[in-house]
Amino acid sequence: MDRKLIVAIILSMGVLFFYPYVIEWYAPKQAQTETTEATQTPLASSSGETAAGMKDAQSKTPALKAELTTVETPLFKAVFTNIGGGIKSLELKNYFVGEGKDSPSINISEIVGRSDSFKTQIEEGGIVKELVMSPSATGIVVKEGDKTELVYKGTTATGIAIEKRYLITDASYLMETVIRASNPTKDQYTGKAFIQLASNVAGKDATGYHSGPIISAKGKIIRQADDEQQKTGAEKLKWIGLEDKYFLSAVIPAHENGAAWKTTVESVTSAKASVEVPLSLAPGAEQEYKYKTFLGPKEYDLLVKQKNGIEEAIEFGWFDWMAKPFLVVLNFFERYLGNYGVAIIVLTVLIKVIFYPLTKKSLHSMNEMKKMQPQMTALKEKYKGNKEKMNKELMELYKRYNVNPLGGCLPIVLQIPVFIALYEVLYVAIELRHAPFFLWLTDLSAKDPYYITPVLMGATMFIQQKMTPTSVDPTQAKIMLIMPIVFTFMFLNFPSGLVIYWLINNILSIVQQYQVMREPSKA
């Protein structure tokens, strides 16, 4: 085996091993800081209201009595409040804190939707005020195939009528929402309406994935950095939200223009985002603002259907161009096979078939290289005093037998982006969170608890390495035989779904190598 091939393989191994640590270094977790926030502070307006003024307004405002409405659909159970028509809590029926349906459902409001998210506040006279509204119902059950509306109505201190409507369907986490303001008075009205979001996460999580404000504006995705306390904008807003690795709360305007936005990171446990809608009403006039409310999981297929780029909230990393197709294919196979583990196996076979011509050519090249060793050794001995002449004769030898000395490392190099893309899918796609395979493998996104699959992977890699054509250099042969041991330790803490991919890939490679090795050599 050529020394350059050894170097290429070692470098590839290094990339596979250090990738998770590079990600963590590139986006380290923020140090935990204490937060003393006990109540939600109204958003500061763009009119320049001081913090002291806001506190004075709060101290003079009596406690508001909340009137709650429970909404239950096949997907979630939510509690709405009449204070601004916000969402106080939302439990996801199909996602659980731990493995198995005996575990409690995830309350997403404790992550990316706290403090009555999606509530509407009104600014009048430079002061942001809570809006107390009356609900159309105290309890709603949306059965399969149904849809219904939850309507809130209220009046501001200056007499402006505010109506807020949620259209709730049976099979979506999205709710069509409209805020309608009408002026029954005889005076011109100027004010602002705020739609606010708040979350209990910000910065980076333990694995380096972003948490906190995310904005799609001016044709690009903006993830607020750890050291940026505040960001603002006033045009071309596609959507704005708060995220963690698996969940998202978002406001998706019907039109890109017509509202300003603001995001704030206060600490690692407090982030906010808001949309600011200007209100200008002549006597008897009416104005409305349409948007979609989203509070739910980052399901790729669901987000893609919105056709507004909100699927970009799923953070696939550097190889997203490959990770997205992988997830689409895995979801397709899972729909028909009913198991993501089996889907990963089918995807592995598919990838192997695609790379078959290249892998076969590589194995032929390695086989020929091994059988050319006597001639190569003779040339090196003959021209050992003339390196230039030796290299020229070796190249002539390669051309004579149509062998590429670096052909053996190409499949390994090409598998690096495949490996990393699948790594990202298994780590960030909520579809694979707690997805079982069989027996002891109950979560493909987590490591094998008994390390059985990594050991099997190492064993198959050892067999494959013993079958791989190598040079007669004993040092190089020993280095290659150490690799299965190193890879086994590397894979101990990798997602079990990724280990399954590599294990099946090794088994298919062994079969392929056996077939190629039986073919006659040209050398």
Side-chain angles (χ1 to χ4, degrees):
M1 179 177 290
D2 191 87
R3 186 171 282 102
K4 292 180 180 179
L5 177 57
I6 296 288
V7 173
I9 292 174
I10 292 174
L11 289 175
S12 301
M13 183 175 66
V15 171
L16 298 181
F17 178 72
F18 288 109
Y19 178 73
Y21 302 99
V22 170
I23 290 295
E24 188 171 351
W25 169 82
Y26 180 74
K29 185 179 180 181
Q30 283 187 322
Q32 186 75 17
T33 60
E34 293 183 3
T35 176
T36 57
E37 180 181 37
T39 59
Q40 177 64 31
T41 303
L43 293 170
S45 71
S46 58
S47 61
E49 181 183 13
T50 64
M54 294 293 288
K55 290 180 180 178
D56 289 342
Q58 278 188 310
S59 63
K60 296 176 182 177
T61 303
L64 302 175
K65 183 178 180 181
E67 188 174 346
L68 305 180
T69 299
T70 302
V71 176
E72 189 165 359
T73 79
L75 295 179
F76 62 81
K77 181 178 180 181
V79 177
F80 289 71
T81 173
N82 67 322
I83 310 299
I87 300 176
K88 194 172 184 66
S89 71
L90 190 143
E91 293 182 15
L92 303 175
K93 292 186 175 181
N94 297 326
Y95 294 93
F96 307 93
V97 175
E99 296 176 24
K101 295 186 177 181
D102 293 335
S103 177
S105 299
I106 286 179
N107 188 344
I108 195 173
S109 59
E110 296 175 352
I111 308 170
V112 293
R114 68 167 172 83
S115 303
D116 304 333
S117 279
F118 300 102
K119 73 177 178 181
T120 301
Q121 294 174 306
I122 300 295
E123 181 189 292
E124 293 182 328
I127 300 176
V128 178
K129 301 176 182 178
E130 298 286 9
L131 182 62
V132 182
M133 312 175 82
S134 298
S136 59
T138 57
I140 296 174
V141 176
V142 183
K143 297 182 180 179
E144 189 172 347
D146 291 345
K147 60 182 178 181
T148 190
E149 275 192 328
L150 174 60
V151 183
Y152 284 97
K153 293 182 179 181
T155 305
T156 70
T158 57
I160 301 302
I162 305 293
E163 181 181 272
K164 186 173 185 179
R165 290 179 174 268
Y166 289 100
L167 178 62
I168 305 164
T169 61
D170 67 313
S172 178
Y173 300 98
L174 281 153
M175 291 173 274
E176 299 280 352
T177 313
V178 58
I179 296 173
R180 185 176 292 111
S182 55
N183 183 5
T185 72
K186 296 180 180 180
D187 301 319
Q188 174 71 29
Y189 175 82
T190 301
K192 294 174 183 177
F194 292 95
I195 307 162
Q196 78 165 40
L197 303 172
S199 76
N200 285 330
V201 290
K204 302 289 180 180
D205 67 10
T207 53
Y209 292 98
H210 180 262
S211 295
I214 178 171
I215 309 104
S216 177
K218 298 182 181 181
K220 61 182 180 180
I221 298 295
I222 304 167
R223 284 185 163 92
Q224 190 159 333
D226 301 352
D227 56 353
E228 292 181 290
Q229 186 176 2
Q230 190 176 101
K231 295 184 78 70
T232 59
E235 59 181 3
K236 294 190 177 298
L237 175 65
K238 273 194 171 183
W239 52 268
I240 184 170
L242 298 170
E243 66 168 353
D244 80 339
K245 184 166 69 171
Y246 287 128
F247 304 103
L248 174 71
S249 61
V251 172
I252 310 167
H255 304 287
E256 292 186 11
N257 295 317
W261 57 268
K262 175 182 175 182
T263 59
T264 305
V265 173
E266 299 175 334
S267 70
V268 294
T269 57
S270 180
K272 298 176 184 177
S274 66
V275 176
E276 177 187 302
V277 183
L279 299 176
S280 181
L281 298 167
E286 186 176 271
Q287 180 181 338
E288 67 178 22
Y289 184 73
K290 293 181 178 180
Y291 61 97
K292 292 179 181 178
T293 295
F294 180 85
L295 185 58
K298 292 180 179 178
E299 289 183 7
Y300 185 76
D301 290 343
L302 168 66
L303 300 182
V304 166
K305 289 177 183 177
Q306 304 311 308
K307 298 181 179 178
N308 53 20
I310 197 171
E311 70 276 5
E312 296 297 328
I314 306 175
E315 193 176 4
F316 283 118
W318 297 336
F319 291 94
D320 64 334
W321 54 274
M322 185 178 291
K324 290 175 184 176
F326 280 176
L327 181 55
V328 170
V329 171
L330 284 174
N331 286 339
F332 174 80
F333 287 149
E334 192 276 337
R335 278 195 293 270
Y336 292 96
L337 300 172
N339 187 291
Y340 273 108
V342 179
I344 290 172
I345 293 174
V346 175
L347 176 63
T348 308
V349 174
L350 183 61
I351 293 172
K352 201 67 178 175
V353 170
I354 293 172
F355 281 108
Y356 177 78
L358 184 62
T359 306
K360 183 177 180 181
K361 187 175 181 180
S362 171
L363 288 171
H364 273 299
S365 177
M366 293 169 68
N367 196 29
E368 294 297 320
M369 286 282 291
K370 179 182 178 181
K371 295 179 179 179
M372 286 166 53
Q373 282 299 320
Q375 298 177 64
M376 293 170 66
T377 302
L379 286 173
K380 290 176 181 178
E381 181 66 26
K382 183 177 180 180
Y383 299 107
K384 62 183 178 180
N386 189 340
K387 191 173 182 179
E388 183 178 344
K389 179 67 174 176
M390 179 183 70
N391 289 334
K392 183 178 179 181
E393 291 295 328
L394 286 173
M395 292 306 297
E396 287 296 326
L397 184 65
Y398 294 146
K399 289 179 181 179
R400 194 179 311 150
Y401 293 108
N402 194 27
V403 172
N404 182 355
L406 298 179
C409 67
L410 189 57
I412 297 174
V413 173
L414 288 177
Q415 279 208 67
I416 292 177
V418 174
F419 177 92
I420 294 176
L422 195 56
Y423 174 93
E424 295 286 0
V425 168
L426 289 164
Y427 258 117
V428 306
I430 194 168
E431 290 90 336
L432 285 106
R433 177 182 178 271
H434 295 167
F437 182 27
F438 77 106
L439 297 178
W440 70 95
L441 295 177
T442 57
D443 185 355
L444 290 167
S445 67
K447 68 178 183 180
D448 184 333
Y450 302 110
Y451 306 113
I452 295 174
T453 49
V455 171
L456 290 176
M457 185 279 300
T460 56
M461 192 172 184
F462 179 80
I463 295 171
Q464 181 187 357
Q465 195 58 58
K466 290 291 287 184
M467 294 175 63
T468 300
T470 59
S471 69
V472 294
D473 187 338
T475 302
Q476 293 180 5
K478 288 178 181 179
I479 291 174
M480 299 310 293
L481 287 177
I482 291 173
M483 284 180 60
I485 300 173
V486 176
F487 265 67
T488 299
F489 280 98
M490 280 170 50
F491 276 66
L492 290 178
N493 293 312
F494 278 0
S496 57
L498 196 63
V499 182
I500 290 170
Y501 161 76
W502 206 268
L503 171 62
I504 300 302
N505 182 73
N506 285 350
I507 293 172
L508 294 175
S509 296
I510 289 170
V511 174
Q512 193 173 27
Q513 284 182 222
Y514 177 76
Q515 293 175 337
V516 171
M517 294 295 116
R518 294 182 62 188
E519 297 180 8
S521 173
K522 298 177 184 177

